[in-house]
Structures are given as structure tokens and as C-alpha cells.
Amino acid sequence: MGPTGKTRIVQIHPTRKCNLSCKHCYSSSSPQESESLEPAVLKDALDDLADEGYDWVSFSGGEPLVYEPLAELLSHAKGIQMQTSLVSNGMLLTGARLDAIENDINALVMSLDGKPDSHNTMRNSSRAFETMERNLSQLRRRGISFGFLFTLTQNNLDELPWVVEFCLKSGASGLMIHPLENTGNATTQLSGKAPDTIESTHAWLLVEHLKKKLGGRLNIQLDLIHTSAFEQSPDQFFLGDYATPLQGRLAELLSVLVIEPDGEVVPLQYGFPREYSLGNLRDCRISDMVSGWQNRLGPELNKLSTGLYSSLENAGNGCFINWYERLGLYARQTRTVSLPIRRTAWNMSTAGVA
Ligand code: SF4
């Protein structure tokens, strides 16, 4: 169940503190937030996750560069043979900060929300684009590989060709395109701006056109999948057995694991409904959460996925969707399972409730 490629990745959001307060921020991060995880807790988690087969760790936020123990954690991750990446708004990538981390990062992804005015509007900052762009020369000079992350809305697909040109001119190696989700700040500041199915289809067509035109000069990834793909590779979409406990290391069962700033460990993406959470790092270690996942939560996630797949199939026409987001929405809409909100490891409490 779950692997979507060779990479087994854990996304760590160590803090909700950020130097910006963006309109589309999924975690509602801002300069006023202070919630953060202790580095010792995260080091223990990384050790356990490496044992469970995870080979990449991605730090985002909040802004990971305002999290003071970042360098220490990156170094720890490299020391246990994990690959590392940062997702940053790019404004704080100055000399001193880069000095502390450059030897311990494999990839750097920066946000880019369109042309300068669009980027600054989305970021609620008149200097966001200019500052990020100025810092790119440091990355090139130091030979740090970087890419960009573009948030697709209902209204900004026309800026994608400009974004691609900017990526090429600046020496980026990749561009990820992620559809806006109606969560965090977007629920109030960008309500109704998530791309609908028609816009998503147009985005897919444009991306295919751009890929062909570029002939491999830029690695472009669009986080949308056509529903017909489920039949071709059901395992990738958790359409597996949900009657029996799952077997194997956690990374083979769940290829994306997320650690949120309050220590909650959730599957697939930030904000995934906590009924499916593995547990909280402040209560127990990852190694104590695994058997609960294998015995109950993993099969329940398979059951949820199969239910969503059936409902999409019954709806008729295929379409492009953001699978993880749809799965989370479906979990909230249906509440088909009566899983208690997780607070302790399943194998530490038979009831498993707070
Ligand atoms: S989207 Fe990123 S840069 Fe913007 S407030 Fe959220 S964490 Fe900070």
C-alpha cells in the first residue's frame, strides 16, 4: 500500500513560525506563531523513521530557516544516511544561514506564485519576490541544487509559462505545481479560488505541452492524477486489503509521512484528519506507533480509499484530482470509521483515546 515511487519521504513541519503570513498558507503560519517541536524529539523520530525505511526528510514550516535547530537536525539526518530537502520562501537564504546548512542539504525548493506582483500579493509582502530572487545568486555560486513550487489557483494558469521561463533563466532544476487547497488561511483569504475540474484539466494539458516543448530541460511535476490511473496501479492509491493487518516496514506501507508542529504524526499530507493519525511524538516514539498502524489504521486507510474510489467510479466521467486532498475531504465528509482521535500509541492503550 502506498509507495508512489522509490522515495520514502517524511515531511517535518518543525514550527509554525514564519517571516511571512501568506494568503494560501495551509498551516496558517505567521510571525506571531511560536509553536515548535523540540530537536531531541525530532532526532528520536528520525532515528526510528530511518529504521522503518524512510530515506528522505523534507523540512518545511512555517519557514524552516527561522527554526534555530535546523542545522543540527539536517546534520543528524545526513548522519543516519537520509537525503534532505528544504521547502522555503527563499527570503532568508542569506550567507550566514547557508554557511550553516549547505553541506547537509540535497535539494532546496522555493515558493514562486507567479509574476512578481502576483507572488507579492499572495505572500502579503511587497518585497517577497525581489528578496527571494536576489538570494538565488548565492545558491548558484555555491552549487546548491534548487527548484520552485508554484501554487495553482483558479485564476493563475496563464502565468505558468512565465514561471517556467523564470525557472529556466534562474537555473532551477525542477518545478512542482500544486493545486491550492481549501485549508488554513485559504479558507478565509482565497475562498473559492482552488482550481475546479475544468481548470485542472487545462493545467494538465498545458503542463504536457510545456514538457514536450522543453524536451527535458526542466523537470515539471503536477500534483494531479487522472482517476483512470487507479485501475492501472491500485496499490499506489491504497486500494488494498482492509480486512487483515498490514505487513512490512512503515515506509513500504505509507510512503509519505508527516510530522506536524505539535508532534502529531499523520499520513499523506499536512492536516490529514487525525482519526488516522499514528500518534503524537510527545507521547511516544514512532517505534511504538507502528504496530497500531499495521493492525488497524493502515487497513482503515485502505478502506477509506476504496470507498472514495467507488464513489468516483459511480460518479461516471473520469477527472483530474489531487488524490491526497480528496482522500482527506472524503474522510471528513463520510466519517465512515469511528476511530478515536489519537493521543497515545495504539499498543500502549487498548482504547487508544485521549
Ligand atoms: S505559505 Fe510558507 S512562507 Fe507563507 S506563511 Fe505559510 S509557511 Fe510561511
Side-chain angles (χ1 to χ4, degrees), residues 103-350:
N103 291 331
D104 290 322
I105 50 173
N106 295 96
L108 180 59
V109 180
M110 280 165 295
S111 319
L112 175 59
D113 298 318
K115 295 176 182 176
D117 283 351
S118 305
H119 182 86
N120 290 345
T121 301
M122 189 71 106
R123 306 252 140 210
N124 283 321
S125 162
S126 59
R127 297 180 54 251
F129 182 88
E130 169 200 341
T131 312
M132 177 273 289
E133 186 184 30
R134 193 181 330 117
N135 288 337
L136 296 180
S137 59
Q138 291 255 17
L139 303 181
R140 287 189 289 264
R141 199 163 55 243
R142 293 168 188 248
I144 297 174
S145 168
F146 65 91
F148 289 102
L149 172 63
F150 174 70
T151 300
L152 176 73
T153 72
Q154 180 69 7
N155 309 99
N156 66 2
L157 185 59
D158 59 321
E159 297 201 18
L160 186 57
W162 183 92
V163 167
V164 166
E165 273 309 306
F166 182 83
C167 289
L168 292 171
K169 271 196 294 188
S170 60
S173 57
L175 171 64
M176 281 188 272
I177 304 164
H178 191 80
L180 175 71
E181 297 181 18
N182 191 30
T183 185
N185 287 352
T187 56
T188 51
Q189 298 189 47
L190 291 173
S191 175
K193 298 292 184 190
D196 62 17
T197 50
I198 294 174
E199 197 66 11
S200 297
T201 305
H202 285 170
W204 188 84
L205 289 168
L206 179 57
V207 166
E208 287 305 300
H209 168 73
L210 289 167
K211 280 183 184 170
K212 206 172 269 183
K213 189 174 147 196
L214 293 170
R217 281 189 296 146
L218 183 70
N219 183 13
I220 306 181
Q221 176 194 312
L222 173 63
D223 291 341
L224 288 170
I225 190 93
H226 196 269
T227 48
S228 62
F230 299 154
E231 287 161 25
Q232 291 154 21
S233 45
D235 282 0
Q236 286 193 8
F237 302 98
F238 312 102
L239 302 170
D241 176 24
Y242 51 80
T244 53
L246 304 177
Q247 307 282 332
R249 293 202 293 177
L250 193 60
E252 299 306 318
L253 305 174
L254 200 51
S255 58
V256 183
L257 197 67
V258 181
I259 297 177
E260 300 192 352
D262 64 354
E264 203 74 11
V265 183
V266 300
L268 307 181
Q269 69 170 31
Y270 189 100
F272 201 84
R274 291 198 168 187
E275 291 94 328
Y276 294 87
S277 164
L278 281 76
N280 193 294
L281 294 178
R282 292 202 170 111
D283 297 329
C284 58
R285 288 186 61 146
I286 297 271
S287 51
D288 295 323
M289 302 175 188
V290 174
S291 66
W293 176 262
Q294 290 167 323
N295 291 332
R296 182 155 187 230
L297 292 172
E300 290 292 356
L301 186 62
N302 277 354
K303 189 175 177 183
L304 182 77
S305 305
T306 305
L308 174 57
Y309 173 60
S310 301
S311 78
L312 291 169
E313 229 185 1
N314 293 337
N317 296 335
C319 58
F320 288 96
I321 60 169
N322 175 353
W323 173 245
Y324 291 170
E325 181 199 24
R326 281 295 280 270
L327 203 54
L329 286 173
Y330 186 68
R332 289 188 183 90
Q333 284 161 3
T334 57
R335 299 283 183 205
T336 50
V337 291
S338 54
L339 296 171
I341 300 286
R342 291 287 311 104
R343 281 291 174 266
T344 57
W346 286 92
N347 60 356
M348 291 171 66
S349 158
T350 50

Side-chain angles (χ1 to χ4, degrees), residues 16-30 60-64 87-89 111 122-123 185:
R16 282 180 60 224
K17 193 170 181 62
C18 186
N19 54 319
L20 291 178
S21 179
C22 303
K23 292 186 193 309
H24 60 343
C25 186
Y26 55 88
S27 57
S28 302
S29 297
S30 76
S60 51
E63 168 55 56
V87 182
S88 166
N89 58 46
S111 319
M122 189 71 106
R123 306 252 140 210
N185 287 352

Side-chain angles (χ1 to χ4, degrees), residues 84-97:
T84 60
S85 57
L86 287 191
V87 182
S88 166
N89 58 46
M91 294 180 74
L92 304 175
L93 287 165
T94 52
R97 281 196 171 92

